[in-house]
């Protein structure tokens, strides 16, 4: 499973040094973006070469334990399903071996006009080959 490291800074926390809940969304977004980049599809490339944008459509989050100031986290991303006009990611945020958050994120495929669009066939085939069915 792909993993992106994140360090918790003061700006990520509330006055008590606990990560503010909305900040987890940014960590998840970075991991998905870096996952796409690692596959050879950065956001700008998708837009310029495929006329494709991805936007979060739905999220299911389970906050299990808090992250705190100075924690070193690993934010994972795995492609769970590839549909014609959306993809579903399975994600986790961990501190060492301890799971802090689990997420399922549905990301819609949009054209540059911000309307739903099918994922172009060659990209669709490549993404389908990256689906991780276990876990």
């Amino acid at each position: 499973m792909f993993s992106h490291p994140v360090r918790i800074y003061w700006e990520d926390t509330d006055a008590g040094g606990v990560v503010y809940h909305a900040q987890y969304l940014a960590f998840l977004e970075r991991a998905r973006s870096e996952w796409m980049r690692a596959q050879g599809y950065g956001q700008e490339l998708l837009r310029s070469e495929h006329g494709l944008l991805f936007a979060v459509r739905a999220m299911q989050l389970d906050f299990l334990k808090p992250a705190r100031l100075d924690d070193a986290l690993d934010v994972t991303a795995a492609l769970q399903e590839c549909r014609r006009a959306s993809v579903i990611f399975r994600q986790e945020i961990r501190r060492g071996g301890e799971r802090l958050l689990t997420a399922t994120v549905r990301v819609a495929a949009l054209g540059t006009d911000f309307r739903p669009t099918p994922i172009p066939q060659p990209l669709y085939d490549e993404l389908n080959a990256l689906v991780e069915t276990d876990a």
Side-chain angles (χ1 to χ4, degrees):
M1 182 179 285
F2 178 85
S3 182
H4 177 68
V6 170
R7 172 73 65 184
I8 302 303
Y9 297 101
W10 187 253
E11 67 189 30
D12 300 319
T13 67
D14 61 18
V18 174
V19 172
Y20 180 64
H21 72 279
Q23 192 60 30
Y24 290 102
L25 301 179
F27 301 155
L28 295 170
E29 175 74 25
R30 289 178 201 161
R32 287 190 311 277
S33 293
E34 291 300 327
W35 182 90
M36 288 296 293
R37 186 183 320 279
Q39 308 312 316
Y41 294 106
Q43 300 287 354
E44 181 56 24
L45 180 79
L46 286 171
R47 187 194 62 76
S48 64
E49 292 190 14
H50 296 279
L52 189 66
L53 308 170
F54 282 117
V56 171
R57 173 68 174 90
M59 299 181 113
Q60 181 179 348
L61 304 172
D62 193 4
F63 296 92
L64 304 171
K65 296 181 180 181
R68 300 181 185 279
L69 183 63
D70 289 332
D71 280 352
L73 306 179
D74 292 305
V75 185
T76 65
L79 191 58
Q80 180 177 318
E81 186 177 350
C82 183
R83 299 177 178 176
R84 286 305 310 160
S86 67
V87 294
I88 299 174
F89 283 92
R90 183 179 68 252
Q91 294 190 260
E92 293 183 351
I93 297 179
R94 293 181 168 270
R95 178 179 50 223
E98 185 177 30
R99 191 175 358 180
L100 305 181
L101 178 143
T102 61
T104 303
V105 183
R106 182 175 173 205
V107 181
L110 305 175
T112 54
D113 60 358
F114 295 96
R115 293 186 178 167
T117 190
I119 298 169
Q121 192 65 46
L123 178 59
Y124 177 78
D125 293 341
E126 290 177 33
L127 290 173
N128 258 310
L130 296 169
V131 169
E132 296 184 29
T133 56
D134 57 338

